[in-house]
């Protein structure tokens, strides 16, 4: 069944106090090989992109030693949840999966302002939904008008749009120059 919040807090405290997992040789090897592979893949993509655009090949690598340390801590946390003193290969695999769907997806979204209008980081399934959301936002926002961003997201959600996709659509429209963020991102102004 479900655990109450106080019970969950006690379990987490117990895990922290009683368990200090360390990487096994196998888990360390998996982490090391995946870390270098991700860095090499990103470096190759950066070189290929720079070759197409004629830019400098010194691109920012989105996986650094800090992310490697975070992967180790996440792997240790996964082992700690099981009260295991050793980080297993499965823990590292799950930590890498979480890293790929969060950090790498966020990096891809940051790069997603290319010739496709900012959709390169969006799956084909969500692309249609975001375009539909953008259409709603354009009909709701008159050129030159200022609207509270949170209120706009809530209004779109009330109309049946996914709040996360509304946020993504606003971000894409802002990167494209259709919208401008004002007041530290709390207000949206339609520019064109």
């Amino acid at each position: 069944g479900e655990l109450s919040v106080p019970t969950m807090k006690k379990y987490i405290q117990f895990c922290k106090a009683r368990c200090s997992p360390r990487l096994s040789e196998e888990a360390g090897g998996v982490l090391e090989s995946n870390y270098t592979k991700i860095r090499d893949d990103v470096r190759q993509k950066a070189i290929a992109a720079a070759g197409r655009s004629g830019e400098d090949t010194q691109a920012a690598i989105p996986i650094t030693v800090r992310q490697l340390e975070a992967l180790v801590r996440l792997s240790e946390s996964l082992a700690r949840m099981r009260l295991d003193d050793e980080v297993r290969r499965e823990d590292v695999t799950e930590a890498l999966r979480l890293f790929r769907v969060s950090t790498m997806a966020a990096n891809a979204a940051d790069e997603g302002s290319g010739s496709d209008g900012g959709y390169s980081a969006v799956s084909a399934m969500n692309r249609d939904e975001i375009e539909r959301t953008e259409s709603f936002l354009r009909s709701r926002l008159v050129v030159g008008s200022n609207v509270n961003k949170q209120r706009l997201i809530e209004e779109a959600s009330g109309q049946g749009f996914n709040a996360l996709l509304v946020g993504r659509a606003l971000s894409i429209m802002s990167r494209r120059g259709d919208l401008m963020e004002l007041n530290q991102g709390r207000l949206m102004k339609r520019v064109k």
Side-chain angles (χ1 to χ4, degrees), residues 2-166:
E2 291 186 24
L3 293 176
S4 66
V5 173
T7 304
M8 181 61 81
K9 285 181 178 180
K10 286 180 184 176
Y11 179 74
I12 291 170
Q13 288 174 342
F14 179 80
C15 290
K16 285 180 178 180
R18 299 290 171 118
C19 194
S20 298
R22 295 290 166 226
L23 282 174
S24 67
E25 287 290 324
E26 180 186 22
V30 169
L31 189 57
E32 180 183 353
S33 65
N34 277 279
Y35 172 75
T36 55
K37 183 182 182 320
I38 292 170
R39 283 187 62 90
D40 290 344
D41 289 349
V42 171
R43 187 175 287 120
Q44 291 302 319
K45 286 179 185 176
I47 290 169
R52 285 193 304 269
S53 64
E55 295 176 2
D56 184 19
T57 58
Q58 288 296 325
I61 306 297
I63 181 165
T64 63
V65 174
R66 178 174 277 176
Q67 277 91 12
L68 176 61
E69 291 169 348
L71 286 168
V72 170
R73 285 192 305 275
L74 185 54
S75 300
E76 289 172 350
S77 296
L78 291 165
R80 191 173 289 122
M81 285 186 342
R82 291 190 325 274
L83 295 174
D84 197 341
D85 285 330
E86 185 175 75
V87 176
R88 297 184 197 155
R89 176 188 196 109
E90 301 82 45
D91 300 321
V92 171
T93 304
E94 177 62 9
L96 286 162
R97 185 193 70 77
L98 291 169
F99 173 78
R100 283 190 180 96
V101 299
S102 61
T103 307
M104 299 300 277
N107 182 60
D110 288 344
E111 294 170 355
S113 56
S115 61
D116 65 352
Y119 294 111
S120 61
V122 179
S123 71
M125 185 176 83
N126 286 341
R127 187 172 296 174
D128 293 337
E129 191 65 25
I130 288 179
E131 287 174 354
R132 193 172 74 79
T133 305
E134 280 187 38
S135 177
F136 166 78
L137 293 171
R138 278 192 292 278
S139 71
R140 171 62 181 81
L141 294 169
V142 179
V143 175
S145 66
N146 295 339
V147 179
N148 179 290
K149 183 178 182 178
Q150 188 59 40
R151 210 172 290 143
L152 186 61
I153 291 172
E154 289 170 3
E155 183 181 327
S157 295
Q159 295 289 326
F161 293 93
N162 179 313
L164 294 173
L165 291 179
V166 173

